[in-house]
Amino acid sequence: MPEGIAARLPDLSRDGLAISDLREKGMALVYVNRAFQDITGYSSDELIGRNCRFLQGSDRLQPEIQSIREAIARRADVTVTLKNYRKDGSWFWNELSLSPMSISGGEPTHYIGLMRDVTTSRVAAAQIAQSTRADMLTGVLNRYAFVEDVDILLRQGERPMLLIKIDMARFHDINEGYGYDVGDQVLMQIARRLTNTGAALVCRTGSNEFALAQPLGHADEAQTAIEMIRQSLAPRYLVAGATIGIRFAMGYVVGTQTTDAITLVRRAGAALHRSKSSAFLDICAFSAEDDRRARNRLRMTSEMQQALEHDEFDFHYQPQVDLATGTIVGAEALLRWHHGLFGIQSPDKFIGHAEDTGLILDISARGLRTVADFAARVNRDRQVPIAFSFNVSPLEFKLRDMPKFVSDVLTASGADAAWIKLELTESLMVESSAEMLSIMRHLRELGVGLSIDDFGTGYANLRYLEDFPLTEIKIDRGFVKGLAQSRSKRVIIESIIRISRELGFHVVAEGIETEVERTLLRDMDCDFGQGFLFGRPVDAARFASLA
Ligand code: C2E
Ligand code: MG
Ligand code: MG
């Protein structure tokens, strides 16, 4: 070691130390310590006299090498981490600090290199970096990394960028029906297929949602690219010894350099939303209209939240009459939103959105209390009580402890359980799980009625009529309308009534608008009727005065 240097060095039992002489041709090494030899595998004899750049092997394109060159040219300090190779050919991460030093006190004469093998920590850091970029289950990018990388691609070229969002339909059913591990397997298979399409970036954006990004030669190529992706997703999926068919909704957008990744992802998402709500999950291209709808949805959500706070929801009540006697026996509570700007809004305008956002849970919780209170008030002095029907959203059955909730509401309102009927949709019966059955049994034990709304418009398998403890069927108004002119409608209604008789259900015909319809239904032995003929839905005060 050149004199005058040793005294200025720290203890270097673990770190490699090398000294190169700037005055020698090629900055030859003049000294290496023991640790340097241990780390590199070369002996002192093999190292002295050489430029230590040979440790970089053929990895000469590392950007760090350029930093070293520049620093040395300026006689400056530099610290970099670069890949070096040991004598046996294996590589390690070398955290290298270079400092110029002078033994004469003037111009630098030597460079001192301190070397530390940081492979272990560096690899761990890389793994962490990777794991924070990748989706844990499928290994494709997560959405943060995706957005970053899409932005990089957008900045790199002038080519149009295709961004597709894909949603796997009925994922919930697969999880419920086959178990979560099977659900996971399906997601992994989807990720693999998407990766195999060769798309530049593949990402899992949400539980059952994926996104792809692909630079195109020309915007016209989007169709071909999408068709290729659609075809690779189409074949059935092999899981748990069975093959299952899966359908996908897809929305896409073609962007240019001037759009940023977030905007593209949002636009593809808006197009996906339209695809999901189309009956056949059409592949949808983003349009300005989607943007408007997405903004509307946001606005609607916040308006509905405020409407809840300001108590803007209430019920109109529509009478149900005994077709034989004409007396009012029941009423259906129909939700209304008193919108500050647009006036009274019917549920068709907002129920879907309330279900998508989960707001229906709050609306409905308050709703059932209102209806039960009203039932208690109306029936207090009546000889023959009126039964109030309340429409229950399938979401409530899934997310709420319905028996407990209903029981609490009844207790608080003082309403008799027999005064309340819950109207369910056929879609609930499709999932004929033991859990659903047990919920319904509990509700029946409380004494509330269970009615199937819009019967005949949902799932066609009538097995559920046998399984579930129902009390009533409501014939959809589609069968009632034009009854006089349609023999097939009469046959269908007669059959529904006969089945109901056999199984002990009441039958309510919905949407009766004419005397002819009423007479025909009464003659077919239908118990009850509801429709404009008997009365339109009216507010609580009006109904109370009628009843
Ligand atoms: P639904 O339960 O089948 O209710 C009957 C719908 O038919 C009501 O529409 C009612 O106004 C309408 N209607 C009744 N008689 C006639 C008729 O003679 N002719 C015609 N053309 N229509 C008639 P509305 O009030 O707009 O409600 C629409 C749907 O919104 C309801 O269909 C129900 O599925 C849902 N809904 C209403 N209230 C609630 C609620 O509180 N919660 C939930 N989850 N859904 C509700
Ligand atoms: Mg109903
Ligand atoms: Mg109905």
Side-chain angles (χ1 to χ4, degrees), residues 332-334 389-392 423-424 453-454 474 510 530:
E332 176 168 9
L334 293 160
S389 299
F390 180 82
N391 293 282
V392 181
E423 290 196 5
L424 319 175
D453 205 355
D454 308 332
K474 293 188 81 175
E510 290 190 88
Q530 178 183 342

Side-chain angles (χ1 to χ4, degrees), residues 271-415:
L272 175 67
H273 193 276
R274 189 153 45 87
S275 169
K276 281 205 273 191
S277 41
S278 67
F280 298 101
L281 305 181
D282 307 326
I283 297 176
C284 293
F286 169 78
S287 70
E289 179 62 12
D290 292 322
D291 236 359
R292 199 183 59 77
R293 284 210 199 95
R295 275 198 302 274
N296 272 350
R297 280 195 298 275
L298 278 179
R299 205 199 57 220
M300 178 93 137
T301 308
S302 86
E303 278 188 10
M304 282 173 73
Q305 264 155 352
Q306 284 178 19
L308 259 169
E309 284 163 28
H310 300 155
D311 242 348
E312 289 172 12
F313 294 104
D314 75 355
F315 289 91
H316 280 188
Y317 296 87
Q318 187 179 31
Q320 294 177 343
V321 303
D322 182 326
L323 287 178
T325 64
T327 51
I328 297 182
V329 290
E332 176 168 9
L334 293 160
L335 190 62
R336 297 292 180 263
W337 176 4
H338 296 262
H339 193 287
L341 212 56
F342 304 123
I344 297 182
Q345 300 291 303
S346 345
D348 290 337
K349 290 238 173 64
F350 61 87
I351 282 282
H353 187 73
E355 287 181 331
D356 286 351
T357 52
L359 276 171
I360 189 70
L361 292 171
D362 297 324
I363 296 174
S364 201
R366 203 178 295 177
L368 186 62
R369 287 189 200 108
T370 308
V371 173
D373 287 345
F374 188 58
R377 189 147 59 84
V378 169
N379 286 330
R380 196 185 305 134
D381 308 317
R382 285 182 68 93
Q383 291 281 331
V384 185
I386 289 176
F388 287 82
S389 299
F390 180 82
N391 293 282
V392 181
S393 154
L395 201 64
E396 291 176 78
F397 262 84
K398 286 178 196 150
L399 298 181
R400 177 171 283 151
D401 181 348
M402 280 302 278
K404 176 168 182 336
F405 174 64
V406 172
S407 155
D408 290 349
V409 170
L410 290 173
T411 312
S413 64

